[in-house]
Amino acid sequence: MAREQVIQEGGVRGFGGLRVVALESRMAGESSRLITKAGGIPIEAPTLRELPIEENPAAMEFADSLLAGRFDIVIFMTGVGTRYLFAAMETRHDRADLTAALAKTTVVARGPKPVAALRELGVPVVITVPEPNTWREMVGVLEESNEGVALQGARVAIQEYGISNDELTRALESAGASVTCVPAYRWALPEDLAPLKDAIRQILARTADVMLVTSATQIHHLLEVARGDGVEDELKSALTELIVASVGPVATENLRKLGISVDLEPAHPKLGTLIKEASQRAPELLLNKRSGIVRPRRERPAGSGDAQQSVFMRACRGEATEYTPVWLMRQAGRYMQEYREVRARLSFSELCKNPQAAAEVTVTAQERLGVDAAIIFSDILLIVEPMGLGLAYDHGEGPTISGNIKSGADVDALREITPSEELAFVFDAIRLTRAELDADVPLIGFCGAPFTLASYMIEGGGSRNYVSTKTLMYRDKGAWDALMKVLTRALVDYLRCQVDAGAQALQVFDSWVGCLSPADYRTYVLPHMTELFSKLPPDVPVIHFGTGTATLLDLQVSAGASVLGVDHRVEIGPVFERFPGVAIQGNLDPVALFAEPAYIRDTAEKVLDDVGGKPGHIFNLGHGILPATPVDNAIALVDAVHTLSAK
Ligand code: CP3
C-alpha cells in the first residue's frame, strides 16, 4: 500500500521505498548500503564469481607472445582485468621483463581505470580512449591517432573483460588488423544461486520495481539462470514492466542486444552515480510506465488459433464465417492516444523505419479495437525513396515528394530497387509483428498501386485534378508505360518479400485511381494491375482497393485480385450480385464514426443487411479512419459488427 502511494505520488525524494534489484557482486555490500541510503529496499542478487588466477592459460600464452615481440598494439579494457592479467603473468615472469616488452608496443587503455592500473604497474600508456569508452571511440581514436599506429597489418592483443567484445574485434579486423583476445579473468556463476533465483522470482511476481545493472556479464548470467529454470522469456517480458538502470554504454548496448530496453543511464558510469540518479528518476519513470502498461484490449469472439483459418482469411477466400470479420483502414493512426504517444517520441518516417515501434503500434491498434486483422504499420510512399526521389512528411500537410518526375528522362533515371535491402525495415517490422500478434490474427501487408504512386511521383504530393499526371499519360504514353512498369516490377518484389516475412494477405491501395474514366483506366492502368496481380503468390488473398471507383469496378475485378475493396459511394449489396466469386471489403463512410453510437450501429446494420449474410464479406470503412474520430466510436463499430453479424 505504502509502495503504491510512493509510485502514485511520484514526487517523493529518492527511491521512496521502491524495491531495487542489484546484480553487483564484488561491491554487493556497498551497493545495498547506497540503495538503502537513497530510500530503496535492496534485493541483493550477486551474479558473478571470479575464477582462480591459475586457471588462466590464455594469460600465459599472451605473456610468451608478448616477450617474443609478436604484438604491435596491446589494448587494456579494464582496471581489474589489467591487474589480474599481470598477477597471472607474474606467477611465471618478471614484471620488469613484461613492462619492457609492453614498452615496445603501442599500449592503449580503454578508460581511466586501466590507465591507473597500468601506471601502478609502470607501463607507459600511449593512447587513452575518450568517454564513453565504447569500442566505437576505441576504433575512432586508433584510426585518427598520429602516434604512428597503422591498423592495417597490425597484430593486436585485447585484454578481455568477462565477455568478449565481438564488435571491437570485428571492427579492428575489418581495418586490417589481426586480433588475439586475452581473457584476463573469467566469471562463473556464484556458488550459491538462491539470492539470484529469489530476485528472478520477485521480478516475475512484479514485486521488484528497479533493476540495477553494473556490468554486461551480469545480465548474461541473470538470463542464463532464468533459462535454466525455463523462464527466460517471462523474465524478459517482466523486465519491460520495471525500471532497468544501466551503469554505462557498454552494459546498455549488451542489454539492448538481448532485447532488454534500458530506462536510464547515469551521466557517469559509476555505481554511486547510477544509484543516485536511479533514485531520483525511477519513481516517475515507473509511474509513466505503469500507467501505460495495461493496454486496454477488446476481446474478439474466440478463434481457432490458426490465422489461416481465421474469419478474415476465410472471408477473403469466399468461405462462410460464423460472423463478419472487420478491420479499419488506418486503424493505427492519430485518432488513437497510444499512437500519438509513440509519435511524440518519433517522427512519422522514424516510426515507419523503426521495426520495433512499427510493430508496437500495429499490435496495439489491433488489440485496442479487437479487430479481426492487423495491417502492418508503414506507408505506401516509402518505396519512392530507394527509387531515387525525396520524401518528407511535413506535419499536417501530407507527404511531399522532391525530384518529382516531369519527363521520360526522369522516368529513365529511376532506380530498379532491391526491396529486401532498401526496405528491410518493413520486413523486420512484419516479422516482429507476426511474433507479437495473437496466433489467430492475420497480418495484412500492403503497397500503393502503380497509378496512385505514379501520381505522387509526378505531382510531388497530393493533387486535386491530377493535371501533371494525366498530361504525362496523354502526351507520352511510352514514358507513362515505362513508369508503370518499373513500379510494377518493384511492387511485385516488395509484396513477395512481405509475404516471405509473414504477411498472410495483401492490400493494394489505388486510392486516387477514381479520377480516371473507364476508357483511360483500361488503357493506362489495367494492363499493369493485371501484370501485378498475376505475379503474386496465388494462395495469398489480395485486396484491390480504390476510392471513387464506382464506374471502374468491372475493370478492377478483371485485373484479377481475389478481394475487391469498395468505398462508401457505392451500395455494397448490388456489388455482391455483380461479382459472384469475388470477396468484397467495405464500405461504411468514415465520417459515420463521428455520429452517435446508436447511429453507428444502425448504419453498420444497413451495410450488413445489404450484404445479406453472403459469404465473402469483410467489413471495413470506405476509406481510412480520420484523425479526429473518437476512438470509442471505432470500438463501438467493431463491437456492433461482431454482435449484429453473429450467426
Ligand atoms: O492502415 C493502417 O493502419 C496502416 C498504415 C497506413 C498508413 N498509410 C499510415 C499513415 C497505410 C495502409 C497507409 C496507406 C497510405 N498512405 C495511402 C493509401 C490509403 C489511403 O488512405 O488512401 C496513402 C494515399 C498514403 C500516403 C499518405 N501517408 C498520406 C496522404 C498521408 C498524410 C495524410 C495524413 O493523415 O496526415 C500519409 C501519412 C500517414 N500514413 C499517417 C499514417 C498513420 C499520418 C502521419 C502522422 O502520424 O502524422
Side-chain angles (χ1 to χ4, degrees):
M1 179 58 210
R3 205 158 69 83
E4 295 307 322
Q5 268 168 9
V6 165
I7 296 172
Q8 272 154 32
E9 285 159 20
V12 288
R13 286 185 48 217
F15 282 121
L18 295 182
R19 299 170 63 87
V20 183
V21 175
L23 302 178
E24 179 62 41
S25 306
R26 213 156 33 84
M27 312 256 279
E30 171 73 350
S31 90
S32 288
R33 196 180 62 74
L34 291 171
I35 291 167
T36 312
K37 205 172 140 215
I41 299 165
I43 303 172
E44 256 188 48
T47 40
L48 314 177
R49 172 172 59 96
E50 279 174 36
L51 284 170
I53 194 157
E54 308 76 55
E55 294 182 19
N56 217 323
M60 304 310 163
E61 276 174 39
F62 169 68
D64 292 342
S65 303
L66 176 69
L67 293 168
R70 287 202 284 268
F71 291 119
D72 306 307
I73 300 174
V74 182
I75 300 174
F76 291 92
M77 299 295 281
T78 66
V80 181
T82 301
R83 290 193 182 89
Y84 247 86
L85 178 59
F86 265 82
M89 294 192 297
E90 283 178 38
T91 60
R92 300 242 185 110
H93 304 280
D94 273 340
R95 181 181 295 185
D97 294 341
L98 295 166
T99 51
L102 278 168
K104 293 185 193 138
T105 72
T106 302
V107 173
V108 182
R110 184 176 66 113
K113 287 183 182 171
V115 167
L118 290 163
R119 191 176 307 129
E120 263 172 44
L121 294 159
V123 178
V125 176
V126 181
I127 296 177
T128 316
V129 179
E131 279 200 82
N133 323 113
T134 71
W135 65 271
R136 291 192 182 84
E137 290 77 39
M138 168 90 67
V139 174
V141 88
L142 282 171
E143 275 170 353
E144 283 158 23
S145 136
N146 44 21
E147 304 291 341
V149 193
L151 285 173
Q152 182 60 47
R155 298 160 303 172
V156 183
I158 306 174
Q159 170 259 318
E160 270 186 14
Y161 56 118
I163 53 164
S164 44
N165 197 326
D166 296 341
E167 277 139 334
L168 174 60
T169 306
R170 247 180 277 132
L172 292 172
E173 283 175 350
S174 62
S178 67
V179 178
T180 308
C181 291
V182 187
Y185 56 88
R186 243 193 265 115
W187 297 107
L189 284 169
E191 232 112 48
D192 180 12
L193 287 178
L196 184 51
K197 290 193 174 200
D198 184 59
I200 293 175
R201 192 186 52 72
Q202 297 211 41
I203 295 170
L204 292 175
R206 278 51 173 182
T207 53
D209 305 300
V210 180
M211 183 173 81
L212 304 178
V213 181
T214 43
S215 84
T217 318
Q218 293 169 357
I219 198 74
H220 289 278
H221 281 190
L222 174 77
L223 291 179
E224 193 182 316
V225 171
R227 198 176 313 129
D229 287 349
V231 294
E232 188 184 17
D233 288 348
E234 289 94 301
L235 181 70
K236 280 190 180 173
S237 116
L239 285 174
T240 63
E241 297 184 32
L242 51 70
I243 299 304
V244 178
S246 153
V247 73
V250 178
T252 301
E253 219 175 298
N254 275 271
L255 282 157
R256 295 227 165 99
K257 262 192 258 158
L258 293 163
I260 299 167
S261 56
V262 170
D263 299 287
L264 75 89
E265 202 186 76
H268 300 287
K270 296 211 173 68
L271 180 66
T273 325
L274 172 70
I275 294 176
K276 184 163 163 245
E277 291 190 20
S279 75
Q280 288 163 345
R281 292 173 51 204
E284 203 191 333
L285 287 170
L286 199 59
L287 184 64
N288 291 341
K289 210 171 211 190
R290 293 203 170 146
S291 65
I293 214 132
V294 213
R295 279 201 286 210
R297 188 186 170 124
R298 304 294 298 181
E299 288 308 319
R300 286 176 311 113
S304 67
D306 173 4
Q308 288 299 337
Q309 290 311 317
S310 61
V311 277
F312 170 83
M313 293 296 283
R314 279 186 284 143
C316 286
R317 297 192 294 257
E319 298 166 17
T321 53
E322 46 292 4
Y323 64 92
T324 303
V326 52
W327 68 280
L328 308 179
M329 286 181 275
R330 289 279 178 99
Q331 61 195 23
R334 281 171 300 188
Y335 77 105
M336 194 177 271
Q337 164 85 24
E338 290 86 340
Y339 175 84
R340 292 195 299 272
E341 280 168 14
V342 176
R343 279 283 279 101
R345 291 190 275 118
L346 299 171
S347 72
F348 178 69
S349 62
E350 283 169 342
L351 171 53
C352 289
K353 292 172 187 177
N354 178 329
Q356 184 67 52
E360 183 192 321
V361 299
T362 305
V363 176
T364 302
Q366 185 276 322
E367 290 184 349
R368 181 92 162 85
L369 299 176
V371 282
D372 299 288
I375 180 160
I376 189 63
F377 190 84
S378 186
D379 195 75
I380 62 165
L381 298 177
L382 296 172
I383 200 164
V384 309
E385 273 185 317
M387 293 185 82
L389 305 187
L391 173 63
Y393 294 92
D394 302 319
H395 194 70
E397 301 190 13
T400 48
I401 284 162
S402 51
N404 49 318
I405 291 170
K406 297 179 193 71
S407 65
D410 292 341
V411 174
D412 294 338
L414 290 173
R415 289 194 51 234
E416 295 275 349
I417 65 166
T418 309
S420 59
E421 287 166 19
E422 291 116 340
L423 296 160
F425 52 85
V426 176
F427 316 125
D428 288 341
I430 290 176
R431 276 185 284 270
L432 281 174
T433 305
R434 198 47 281 167
E436 276 180 46
L437 277 177
D438 282 353
D440 62 351
V441 176
L443 177 60
I444 305 168
F446 72 87
C447 70
F451 174 84
T452 292
L453 290 175
S455 81
Y456 276 104
M457 293 167 91
I458 296 167
E459 307 285 340
S463 175
R464 199 175 175 78
N465 293 313
Y466 302 92
V467 174
S468 306
T469 307
K470 292 184 183 180
T471 304
L472 183 86
M473 206 168 85
Y474 297 139
R475 286 199 174 192
D476 191 347
K477 182 157 191 301
W480 174 260
D481 282 336
L483 175 56
M484 295 293 273
K485 279 187 180 154
V486 73
L487 278 165
T488 302
R489 277 196 296 276
L491 294 169
V492 165
D493 211 357
Y494 182 41
L495 290 177
R496 284 172 162 274
C497 288
Q498 294 190 44
V499 170
D500 290 343
Q504 285 129 329
L506 298 169
Q507 175 151 333
V508 179
F509 285 92
D510 213 350
S511 304
W512 311 137
V513 79
C515 71
L516 294 181
S517 69
D520 284 350
Y521 186 92
R522 193 180 291 112
T523 310
Y524 299 105
V525 177
L526 182 58
H528 307 286
M529 294 306 280
T530 309
E531 166 72 9
L532 173 65
F533 294 134
S534 76
K535 292 277 165 64
L536 298 177
D539 52 340
V540 177
V542 181
I543 307 164
H544 183 176
F545 169 79
T547 70
T549 46
T551 58
L552 303 178
L553 296 178
D554 295 85
L555 292 165
Q556 283 185 303
V557 167
S558 75
S562 53
V563 187
L564 176 69
V566 288
D567 75 4
H568 44 284
R569 298 166 184 91
V570 297
E571 259 189 316
I572 195 167
V575 177
F576 265 88
E577 308 288 327
R578 216 155 103 203
F579 305 113
V582 177
I584 310 289
Q585 174 174 284
N587 75 333
L588 193 84
D589 186 342
V591 182
L593 293 182
F594 288 79
E596 297 282 294
Y599 176 85
I600 295 172
R601 193 185 157 89
D602 287 350
T603 175
E605 190 162 26
K606 165 88 172 54
V607 173
L608 290 167
D609 285 350
D610 272 0
V611 175
K614 289 187 201 65
H617 179 209
I618 299 127
F619 202 106
N620 206 318
L621 302 176
H623 202 172
I625 193 165
L626 294 161
T629 307
V631 72
D632 287 339
N633 289 1
I635 292 171
L637 171 67
V638 173
D639 286 350
V641 173
H642 282 161
T643 349
L644 294 167
S645 66
K647 303 203 169 93

